[in-house]
Amino acid sequence: MNIVIKNATIVDSSSEFNQKKVDIKIENGVIAEIASEINSTNFEILSLENLHVSSGWMDSSVSFGEPGFEDRETIANGLNVAAKSGFTHIAYQPNTSPVIDNQSIVSFVKTKAANFATTLHPIGAFTKNQEGADLAEMYDMQNAGAIAFGDYKKSTANANLLKIGLQYTQDFNATVIAFCNDSLIKGKGVVHEGIKSTQLGLKGVPPLAEEIVLARNLFLLEYTGGKMHVPTISTAKSVEMIKEAKVKGLNVTCSVAIHNLVLTDEVLTDFDTRFKVNPPIRDKAHQQALINGVLDGTIDVITSDHCAMDIEHKKMEFDMAKDGTIGLESAFGVLLEILPLDVVVEKLQAAKSIFLNDENVIKVGSKADLTLFDPSKEYTFNKNDILSKSKNSAFLNHKMKGFVYGIYNNNKLVIK
């Protein structure tokens, strides 16, 4: 579609138009002109209050459910939710049924996701059926469209298998996603181990469960070479170890989940299972270390870690409930309460350069891959703001600063 976006403030540190208010003319999905005033004859006009535009955002960890768990979320509705939440790209986790562990399932998922404004990029499982025993068909999956390989929320217990995988994936320049959690140290823990877990009588997950596996994985990466992405780190020591690894020159990136960045374990007082996530929401000291890690560049990516979960698996005793919270719809509004706008935009875009090798800049001749938002609007996030099929949001009744209008991508405009 051909469109002129009027009076938009550009938020793109790589663009010559950064922080300037301009009109943007888009023809056939490509930015044709950027100027202070553009003749819009025969073009559709888009004019929105306090409109800001950045290069499109990418969420590096999204779980809907389809195939197999369509009762939690479908790909079609999930992509519509992502678009209205400001994400032009999502990395789709393999925790489906069947698991995304071969090229046919990768192709199936990509076919289901075709022709949407938001582009879905499958993550292939690192091991067959995510069981940690045998490597999955990673090369074939990459040829079918997978962008990286990892078992969702599962550490590879077999260190030799991870070593072989890191060596093998170098042949086709693939990224291994290595979640860090020692299941034996975690045991039956369900929340952060600390004062709050003791007060509530809930079994705790010590930071050591994450850190000991991360240390091992970084040693393996140093030995093998290759590319590793560490998803959703949650502890101060993890931030330190990632920083040290980068100083050494290791090819490692990492992400943090929004709920670990914004919330602390003080929210657990009412045993609300919306706050049961993996890794667990930790205390104030760890939260501050994560914020500092974002600000100093140690943490590359902020993810919603969106995980749709049906009410039957959430409305039960805390110990028994499934992990996970949805987060696409609330991502932007909660981040602006703790981080500057330019940092939020940078960290929501960063996954594109890591996983897609895409340094999309707002300039004439570039593909129109844009997120549209108002960074000043304040409101309270309630059930009416949840567009997902599942309603397990950790941010219900949370005060928001920043409202997403929608996106323009793949020659399609989606406005909330």
Side-chain angles (χ1 to χ4, degrees), residues 95-117:
N95 58 325
T96 53
S97 183
V99 169
I100 303 174
D101 65 357
N102 62 74
Q103 61 180 335
S104 64
I105 305 300
V106 171
S107 298
F108 170 81
V109 169
K110 285 186 68 67
T111 299
K112 292 284 290 188
N115 301 316
F116 285 87

Side-chain angles (χ1 to χ4, degrees), residues 182-309:
D182 188 302
S183 60
L184 295 178
I185 292 177
K186 177 187 178 185
K188 295 182 179 179
V190 292
V191 296
H192 170 63
E193 182 183 80
I195 294 173
K196 183 57 66 174
S197 65
T198 303
Q199 289 174 340
L200 298 175
L202 293 171
K203 289 184 171 63
V205 182
L208 178 66
E210 175 178 310
E211 294 157 1
I212 196 168
V213 177
L214 175 58
R216 183 205 70 173
N217 290 354
L218 291 174
F219 273 120
L220 288 171
L221 180 64
E222 186 173 7
Y223 177 80
T224 62
K227 293 193 293 186
M228 179 185 289
H229 178 75
V230 183
T232 59
I233 64 172
S234 68
T235 79
K237 184 65 176 177
S238 292
V239 176
E240 289 179 20
M241 287 192 285
I242 293 289
K243 183 181 292 186
E244 291 168 3
K246 289 184 172 185
V247 170
K248 284 183 177 180
L250 301 188
N251 195 345
V252 60
T253 56
C254 68
S255 71
V256 62
I258 290 172
H259 42 269
N260 287 103
L261 203 59
V262 175
L263 304 175
T264 71
D265 58 358
E266 292 298 320
V267 300
L268 299 171
T269 302
D270 294 328
F271 298 91
D272 192 328
T273 60
R274 291 181 299 118
F275 303 117
K276 188 182 181 189
V277 290
N278 183 21
I281 296 167
R282 300 198 183 271
D283 63 21
K284 183 68 177 177
H286 289 291
Q287 180 206 29
Q288 189 58 54
L290 293 171
I291 292 172
N292 293 341
V294 169
L295 292 172
D296 71 16
T298 301
I299 296 174
D300 305 273
V301 176
I302 296 175
T303 173
S304 73
D305 202 20
H306 181 98
C307 183
M309 192 58 61

Side-chain angles (χ1 to χ4, degrees), residues 329-359:
E329 300 99 309
S330 54
F332 183 62
V334 295
L335 286 174
L336 279 182
E337 71 171 312
I338 60 167
L339 294 169
L341 175 61
D342 59 335
V343 174
V344 170
V345 169
E346 176 198 342
K347 298 302 181 181
L348 289 178
Q349 293 171 344
K352 289 201 294 187
S353 62
I354 293 170
F355 295 106
L356 308 181
N357 195 29
D358 180 358
E359 302 289 351

